[in-house]
Amino acid sequence: MVRVGYDRLDGIHQLLQFSDHFEVIDPPEARELVARLAEAIALRHRPPNP
């Protein structure tokens, strides 16, 4: 386990470099931000519907 702290919530973006090798535990706002970012990335990389 590694503890990382940021002064601002948008610092969470830096954690995306670790792909699926991290989990944000707290605060809830940071977890929600990671979920939104992951969803946006997944949507962008889905193949188009024929």
Side-chain angles (χ1 to χ4, degrees), residues 1-40:
M1 180 185 293
V2 175
R3 182 178 293 228
V4 178
Y6 293 102
D7 292 337
R8 296 176 25 201
L9 190 59
D10 64 351
I12 294 297
H13 288 86
Q14 294 179 354
L15 295 176
L16 296 177
Q17 68 182 310
F18 298 110
S19 178
D20 63 341
H21 300 284
F22 77 98
E23 179 182 1
V24 174
I25 304 298
D26 209 34
E29 298 84 6
R31 282 185 66 90
E32 292 169 12
L33 176 56
V34 169
R36 286 195 311 267
L37 293 170
E39 184 175 353

